[in-house]
Amino acid sequence: MEVAEGRPADSATARGNIRFEGVRKVYREARGEPVPALERIDLELPGDHSFISLIGPSGCGKSTLLKLLAGIEQPTEGTVTCRGQRVTGINTRISYVPQGKGLFPWMTLRDNIELPLKIAGLGAAERARRADEWLGLVELRGFENHFPRQLSGGMEKRGSLARALIADRPVSLMDEPFGPLDAQTRLTLQQHLLGLWEKLRNTVVFVTHDLVEAIALSDLIVVFSPRPGRILEVVKVPLPRPRDVLTVYDYEGFNALYKPLQRMLLRDRA
Ligand SMILES: Nc1ncnc2c1ncn2[C@@H]1O[C@H](COP(=O)(O)OP(=O)(O)O)[C@@H](O)[C@H]1O
Ligand SMILES: [Mg+2]
């Protein structure tokens, strides 16, 4: 297993990268005890065409880390930088698929997919053209006037991917986007996402609790300790691309990655 070298945070090559420096996050509720969610996080991730997975037990702060990068939560201590710009408010360089959220139920599939373009101020004709292209890419042509309740779980997730990726941002954050789906649908979606990512060449930061999914998709895996989350390891995934998620178990090097990571994830469990 190859552990990725952390680069010094002030390195000249770090401009386009995503950086967390000395980040702590404590949630303070009006009532009750403060909840420490992330301990001291020093992490530098490549900001160009990389697929990065965050993995760790429930409650270790994975979603919190994405929210800090999206700018919808602020760190209690430390700084977050996204491609050379300090994140102090809503980060407009990213797109974001929040955990457990699907398409807006009151909008048709087409309106959902066009929404980021509408927010960006594009005209109706250009929106329609790009939405048609994306409906094709996620194989949902013919369903554009359906509402989310009229789609299967997998179709809705493909719609969510289109809505996240249509805005063409350099970084996409995806928080357990395939969470509650059956294993077969997940595999199909994983393959689909990899195909889109190969075309887009953006950076994806992907949260999952499924180690095989993390290995199948990623260039780098960031492993978190149980809450309050600390980073245990950043591991490179040297498997060749393009990858076939169905046969990832058969790739040379799969076991050498899987076994120590699985042990690391199980270590602190009761
Ligand atoms: N808005 C919030 N207010 C208070 N506590 C929170 C809030 N969001 C998350 N937490 C707590 O912070 C910890 C980390 O949460 P989260 O980032 O959602 O973990 P993960 O995504 O790894 O499961 C958990 O203990 C959770 O209960
Ligand atoms: Mg979460």
Side-chain angles (χ1 to χ4, degrees):
M1 186 169 78
E2 192 182 353
V3 175
E5 283 293 317
R7 256 185 289 169
D10 60 352
S11 115
T13 54
R15 295 203 89 96
N17 286 356
I18 295 166
R19 290 190 284 163
F20 295 83
E21 292 168 271
V23 168
R24 284 183 70 229
K25 177 66 180 176
V26 181
Y27 287 106
R28 291 180 200 283
E29 303 273 289
R31 291 157 193 255
E33 294 290 304
V35 181
L38 290 170
E39 225 20 271
R40 198 187 154 83
I41 304 290
D42 286 298
L43 178 65
E44 180 168 345
L45 300 170
D48 297 310
H49 194 232
S50 290
F51 204 114
I52 300 148
S53 286
L54 312 180
I55 193 164
S58 176
C60 72
K62 305 179 295 296
S63 295
T64 300
L65 196 91
L66 284 199
K67 287 176 191 167
L68 294 173
L69 186 52
I72 56 181
E73 288 283 355
Q74 297 304 316
T76 310
E77 276 176 36
T79 59
V80 181
T81 313
C82 183
R83 295 171 59 89
Q85 210 166 61
R86 173 101 180 259
V87 180
T88 51
I90 297 296
N91 183 355
T92 54
R93 297 176 167 210
I94 55 107
S95 59
Y96 178 39
V97 182
Q99 185 170 7
K101 300 277 194 310
L103 296 172
F104 294 123
W106 61 88
M107 286 184 185
T108 63
L109 177 64
R110 173 183 286 284
D111 288 345
N112 265 287
I113 292 178
E114 284 191 16
L115 184 64
L117 304 181
K118 203 169 183 175
I119 293 169
L122 268 68
E126 179 62 10
R127 291 204 306 264
R129 189 189 68 73
R130 295 204 12 207
D132 282 336
E133 188 186 325
W134 272 95
L135 283 159
L137 285 171
V138 294
E139 295 168 18
L140 286 174
R141 283 228 173 98
F143 295 94
E144 42 273 68
N145 297 322
H146 283 54
F147 286 90
R149 65 171 187 281
Q150 299 170 302
L151 303 173
S152 71
M155 290 163 88
E156 183 173 2
K157 293 291 177 190
R158 292 209 300 279
S160 293
L161 290 183
R163 192 178 62 183
L165 297 172
I166 197 170
D168 203 15
R169 299 279 157 72
V171 180
S172 289
L173 314 181
M174 301 186 179
D175 198 344
E176 303 202 31
F178 309 145
L181 298 171
D182 65 87
Q184 283 67 33
T185 308
R186 282 177 80 109
L187 284 173
T188 317
L189 285 164
Q190 287 165 7
Q191 197 66 56
H192 211 102
L193 175 58
L194 277 186
L196 294 172
W197 173 75
E198 298 279 358
K199 284 199 195 83
L200 292 171
R201 308 191 70 77
N202 63 346
T203 282
V204 174
V205 187
F206 187 95
V207 171
T208 179
H209 53 252
D210 178 341
L211 181 54
V212 177
E213 179 169 76
I215 294 174
L217 298 179
S218 311
D219 300 309
L220 278 182
I221 301 178
V222 182
V223 187
F224 284 78
S225 73
R227 192 182 73 80
R230 286 172 299 107
I231 292 168
L232 294 177
E233 209 89 80
V234 181
V235 178
K236 281 188 190 165
V237 180
L239 307 184
R241 292 192 186 273
R243 290 192 197 148
D244 175 13
V245 299
L246 278 180
T247 60
V248 71
Y249 299 95
D250 300 329
Y251 280 54
E252 200 185 322
F254 176 85
N255 275 320
L257 277 168
Y258 178 82
K259 287 180 181 168
L261 283 174
Q262 191 62 281
R263 237 177 267 130
M264 201 183 296
L265 289 166
L266 290 171
R267 196 167 52 199
D268 295 314
R269 293 277 169 117

